Amino acid sequence: MAAGVDDIAIYIPRLYLDATDFAEARGLDPVKLQKGLGVSQMSIVDSNQDPACLAANACLKIMQKNKLSPEDIGRLYVSTESAFDESKAMNSYVIGMLEQVYGQGAFEHCGGVETKFACVSGSYALYDNTNWIRAGEAEGKAALVVVSDIAKYDMGSSGEMTQGAGAVVMLLNDNPRLLAFDPKVTATSIKDEYDFYRPFGKETPIVHGQYSNLLYMIQVRKALEAYKKKVISSGLIKIEPGETILDHMDYIHMHLPYSNMGKKALAYLVRHEWRQLPRWKRILQEIGMEEPVPKDPRGTIESVLSDEEFMAKDHEFTKLFSKTPEYQEVYESKLASSLIASTMIGNLYTASLYLGFRSSLEFEYQKGINLDGKRVGFGSYGSGSSAMVFSGVIQPEYEQVVKDMNLEVEVGQRRKLTWDEYEKLHENKLRPDQSMVHSKKEFVLVEVNTEIETRGERRYIFNE
Ligand code: COA
């Protein structure tokens, strides 16, 4: 039985911080953000928004667009790493909000949990719900998987330039118009790590950025190895001599904490794959230098990162490799369109991979490419850490959905924040009733209770 993504919707907060303003305030070269990281704007949540609001707004959009009633939905999963409750799942909040529109008890039949594993949890949720459909448990109903996050880092930290916020929701069913997931090839890797984590009670994460970046690439590469084995043993794809698995993916979407990370991670995977192939000799000739090797090739991530000579040479090699026509062709045709939304919206943690998927569909379609039958590979990574590699095929009916995609319209009119406004929002100095914009037809947070008996209870309304 086919199972996959029938439609996709996004909700992005209406406020943003401009990268140039950020650079000026922090005394940085704006080119570092724009060219070095690929960040132009970062979405910021208003004082009356939290990740549950973002998720509920995305769910409402997809339901209204597809004229779905709660009866059509059998499962609602929320994936986030911005949880504000250690026990109550974010689904309950989302369902509570949706029931303000659809009627009390309208989603009573609808199961689901909140999933957590940093930025990879949305992929696990998609996998579980796809299997729910494949197992025949859905009884004709669809699943909603909503990935929602607020990427907020400490003031003045190096992560602060990679912030963002938003939610992406995917409608899954057994007759998907957009993408059917390839069965029996989803592969994972997992390792106990402290590259990025957020201890209890802390609003912002503790991040070892460069460590995390390298770990991300290593873990995804391991998952890709496992994916390759499954693809071969299941007979899904035949890899001929001289080919790599990546040759069989028309699109490759990577986790995007910032858009250039996708470029770096893809270059890492391609290098790893091409190294074994006859074409590598030609590439090395074009680059004009040998591929550097760390002093201790079997060492730890720390030892590699502290090997300054290797790191500098590897940086140079990667830059030259990324400029070869062969890599440029892979980058332009398989990845570039997925980065456009990230550049204008910023880091969505769990949702960033799926914002990339959404972005690629729109901008590849606009190029006039026939997407029917194209295979899409996903490289998902979550700190802490786990990676997941999986794939799917774009379905013949995709055009029904993709022809109307318009990122600018879907994001809507946004307001640029002044530095002073940004600081107030970042430091949580504003109450929900002091929000910067008054958005209509959206769920907003009204209050968070502070009384001892009811501490933490949240009240939301739907703004007419
Ligand atoms: N002009 C152009 N490019 C510039 C530049 C300038 N003036 N200054 C720096 N750059 C480039 C660097 O060369 C680098 O590019 P490269 O990656 O291709 O080498 C890039 O900008 C970033 O600079 P760098 O000095 O490496 O950044 P940093 O140490 O200040 O931190 C992050 C960057 C991404 C590590 C940091 O922002 C972070 O930790 N973010 C959080 C990431 C995250 O969420 N990870 C979680 C899991 S994936």
Side-chain angles (χ1 to χ4, degrees):
M1 183 192 283
V5 182
D6 184 72
D7 198 2
I8 184 164
I10 57 175
Y11 176 82
I12 304 298
R14 308 250 177 257
L15 302 172
Y16 73 92
L17 187 60
D18 196 84
T20 315
D21 297 344
F22 179 90
E24 194 184 312
R26 289 275 175 250
L28 295 168
D29 180 356
V31 185
K32 172 169 180 174
L33 276 86
Q34 283 155 357
K35 294 258 186 300
L37 297 167
V39 174
S40 296
Q41 287 142 9
M42 296 180 258
S43 304
I44 305 287
V45 279
D46 211 334
S47 63
N48 61 354
Q49 293 185 308
D50 65 11
C53 287
L54 308 183
N57 285 323
C59 289
L60 185 63
K61 272 173 131 180
I62 208 163
M63 289 192 64
Q64 289 180 336
K65 182 176 165 218
N66 289 280
K67 300 191 172 52
L68 296 170
S69 78
E71 275 307 313
D72 299 318
I73 310 297
R75 272 182 157 200
L76 192 151
Y77 268 50
V78 182
S79 302
T80 186
E81 57 180 296
S82 318
F84 43 72
D85 193 290
E86 309 297 355
S87 173
K88 179 172 163 165
M90 206 178 281
N91 323 43
S92 302
Y93 296 87
V94 172
I95 280 173
M97 280 182 256
L98 292 173
E99 287 190 350
Q100 289 187 32
V101 172
Y102 290 98
Q104 192 117 64
F107 284 85
E108 210 169 46
H109 60 280
C110 190
V113 291
E114 175 189 313
T115 68
K116 175 174 72 181
F117 204 138
C119 303
V120 74
S121 63
S123 304
Y124 278 95
L126 274 183
Y127 182 53
D128 288 358
N129 281 284
T130 301
N131 286 332
W132 173 70
I133 293 167
R134 283 184 186 136
E137 300 253 356
E139 297 172 318
K141 292 193 195 299
L144 286 178
V145 172
V146 54
V147 280
S148 178
D149 264 315
I150 298 172
K152 180 172 178 176
Y153 293 84
D154 284 336
M155 284 273 196
S157 68
S158 72
E160 196 191 6
M161 55 194 164
T162 60
Q163 298 185 111
V168 177
V169 61
M170 283 160 282
L171 177 69
L172 304 186
N173 64 23
D174 58 4
N175 190 19
R177 288 170 296 171
L178 279 183
L179 185 93
F181 287 117
D182 288 324
K184 298 182 178 165
V185 292
T186 296
T188 54
S189 72
I190 195 159
K191 189 163 186 270
D192 178 14
E193 285 280 2
Y194 272 109
D195 56 324
F196 171 114
Y197 62 105
R198 189 165 66 87
F200 278 163
K202 194 169 181 318
E203 194 193 15
T204 48
I206 295 172
V207 194
H208 306 294
Q210 304 295 0
Y211 185 96
S212 187
N213 284 354
L214 183 53
L215 185 62
Y216 159 15
M217 297 190 284
I218 292 171
Q219 290 294 79
V220 173
R221 199 193 77 209
K222 284 185 183 162
L224 182 70
E225 289 298 329
Y227 170 86
K228 230 189 306 185
K229 283 193 188 129
K230 287 188 161 198
V231 156
I232 294 166
S233 66
S234 68
L236 182 75
I237 297 169
K238 194 164 174 349
I239 305 171
E240 301 291 346
E243 285 184 346
T244 115
I245 184 68
L246 302 179
D247 298 334
H248 293 267
M249 291 177 176
D250 300 292
Y251 294 104
I252 304 172
H253 300 323
M254 304 301 298
H255 166 50
L256 302 173
Y258 51 96
S259 81
N260 279 9
M261 188 59 212
K263 205 173 183 176
K264 269 170 85 137
L266 183 66
Y268 182 91
L269 290 186
V270 172
R271 252 171 86 177
H272 178 74
E273 287 293 308
W274 287 5
R275 201 178 283 141
Q276 354 268 331
L277 304 180
R279 67 183 89 160
W280 192 237
K281 216 170 147 189
R282 186 179 71 237
I283 306 278
L284 285 181
Q285 276 166 359
E286 282 172 42
I287 293 174
M289 74 184 270
E290 280 301 311
E291 191 172 18
V293 182
K295 279 193 195 91
D296 180 4
R298 297 195 164 272
T300 60
I301 295 180
E302 285 97 339
S303 76
V304 171
L305 288 173
S306 62
D307 185 346
E308 285 176 23
E309 194 187 333
F310 165 74
M311 289 304 288
K313 276 200 181 140
D314 195 63
H315 191 256
E316 187 189 348
F317 185 89
T318 306
K319 289 271 170 224
L320 292 170
F321 173 67
S322 302
K323 284 186 185 138
T324 59
E326 289 84 352
Y327 178 72
Q328 275 297 315
E329 204 275 319
V330 171
Y331 166 73
E332 285 298 338
S333 65
K334 298 182 198 254
L335 180 80
S337 292
S338 71
L339 308 183
I340 297 171
S342 167
T343 304
M344 62 187 264
I345 292 166
N347 192 357
L348 303 192
Y349 285 162
T350 345
S352 74
L353 176 64
Y354 299 102
L355 182 69
F357 173 44
R358 162 71 183 72
S359 177
S360 173
L361 287 170
E362 177 176 337
F363 295 108
E364 286 298 292
Y365 179 71
Q366 276 181 15
K367 287 183 189 167
I369 293 173
N370 179 4
L371 301 178
D372 182 12
K374 300 274 189 221
R375 174 157 280 119
V376 182
F378 295 83
S380 188
Y381 174 70
S383 294
S385 70
S386 178
M388 192 181 248
V389 170
F390 53 100
S391 57
V393 174
I394 299 187
Q395 298 298 290
E397 300 80 17
Y398 79 92
E399 206 170 352
Q400 291 173 25
V401 185
V402 177
K403 69 178 171 26
D404 295 324
M405 284 183 172
N406 184 326
L407 196 62
E408 274 189 30
V409 170
E410 207 170 341
V411 170
Q413 262 203 334
R414 295 195 292 170
R415 204 189 115 188
K416 189 166 99 154
L417 288 169
T418 64
W419 187 255
D420 183 49
E421 288 171 332
Y422 162 68
E423 281 188 329
K424 278 197 186 120
L425 283 169
H426 195 288
E427 288 167 13
N428 303 322
K429 285 199 171 138
L430 301 176
R431 295 186 312 270
D433 62 329
Q434 294 172 306
S435 65
M436 305 265 169
V437 287
H438 183 76
S439 37
K440 291 209 171 111
K441 305 267 175 224
E442 283 184 9
F443 296 107
V444 290
L445 177 70
V446 181
E447 68 172 338
V448 183
N449 220 320
T450 50
E451 323 253 309
I452 294 180
E453 288 298 311
T454 52
R455 195 177 139 213
E457 281 190 15
R458 288 175 182 239
R459 203 162 65 78
Y460 302 91
I461 55 161
F462 185 64
N463 258 346
E464 288 295 345

